[in-house]
């Protein structure tokens, strides 16, 4: 919309944005707040399957979960590296609900006997970074904001 307002409606970014808006509109004309919750859904599924007795070593998502961890400071929110966002897509922002969910899912893989030492080491590094990120996110009043320390009055 901003590019349109300055006469740049034909710019490739504007065209991709328009395509996204058209393709993600619901049948009733509204748009969902999120269109891809892959990290959130995957980490919750791992946890619940594990609690139900399912052998998590049969799941093919450990490396995918590890690869979803944000490794650089987020360019828009300034969120530090180390957390997980709701999706594996580039617009995902590390946050205070997806990070603990990923950490809990990784716990099940870490404790499984078939997990290799190399995988355990990767899990431990990721978990340490995730725990550090989560601890540093906590506000001085004791609560946790969604994305960045000090953010406590977002409009949603």
């Amino acid at each position: 919309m901003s590019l349109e307002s300055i006469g740049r409606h034909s710019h490739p970014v504007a065209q991709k944005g328009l395509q996204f808006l058209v393709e993600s509109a619901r049948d009733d004309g509204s748009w969902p707040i999120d269109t891809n919750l892959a990290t959130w859904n995957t980490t919750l599924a791992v946890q619940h399957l594990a609690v139900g007795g399912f052998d998590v070593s049969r799941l093919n998502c450990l490396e995918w979960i590890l690869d979803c961890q944000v490794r650089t400071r987020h360019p828009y929110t300034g969120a530090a590296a180390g957390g997980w966002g709701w999706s594996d897509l580039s617009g995902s922002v590390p946050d205070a609900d997806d990070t603990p969910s990923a950490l809990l899912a990784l716990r099940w893989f870490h404790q499984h006997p078939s997990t290799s030492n190399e995988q355990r080491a990767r899990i431990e590094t990721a978990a340490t970074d995730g725990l550090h990120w989560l601890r540093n996110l906590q506000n001085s009043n004791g609560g946790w904001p969604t994305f960045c320390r000090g953010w406590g009055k977002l409009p949603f």
Side-chain angles (χ1 to χ4, degrees):
M1 291 181 258
S2 296
L3 289 171
E4 173 67 32
S5 73
I6 60 170
R8 301 294 310 267
H9 59 274
S10 61
H11 189 280
V13 171
Q15 291 301 303
K16 285 184 180 184
L18 177 61
Q19 179 183 356
F20 171 79
L21 288 173
V22 169
E23 291 176 359
S24 63
R26 295 176 175 163
D27 290 340
D28 67 2
S30 67
W31 282 274
I33 189 169
D34 292 310
T35 58
N36 179 321
L37 299 172
T39 306
W40 177 243
N41 293 337
T42 302
T43 58
L44 287 178
V46 168
Q47 293 174 64
H48 291 283
L49 287 168
V51 167
F54 185 82
D55 177 4
V56 297
S57 70
R58 294 175 48 203
L59 300 173
N60 187 25
C61 59
L62 172 58
E63 296 300 322
W64 185 88
I65 293 170
L66 289 168
D67 289 343
C68 285
Q69 188 173 29
V70 176
R71 298 288 179 192
T72 59
R73 180 170 296 281
H74 196 275
Y76 304 116
T77 65
W84 279 263
W86 56 87
S87 168
D88 60 335
L89 299 178
S90 61
S92 183
V93 180
D95 61 54
D97 58 346
D98 295 291
T99 297
S101 187
L103 291 168
L104 289 169
L106 290 175
R107 173 185 171 263
W108 289 103
F109 286 105
H110 187 271
Q111 70 185 24
H112 198 277
S114 70
T115 301
S116 71
N117 288 337
E118 182 181 326
Q119 288 173 316
R120 272 196 186 82
R122 245 190 112 197
I123 292 169
E124 290 167 9
T125 298
T128 299
D129 292 348
L131 289 167
H132 180 74
W133 181 87
L134 194 58
R135 177 61 186 101
N136 286 333
L137 182 67
Q138 188 176 24
N139 284 331
S140 60
N141 67 2
W144 267 269
T146 305
F147 302 111
C148 297
R149 187 178 185 134
W151 289 18
K153 296 186 178 166
L154 293 178
F156 56 87

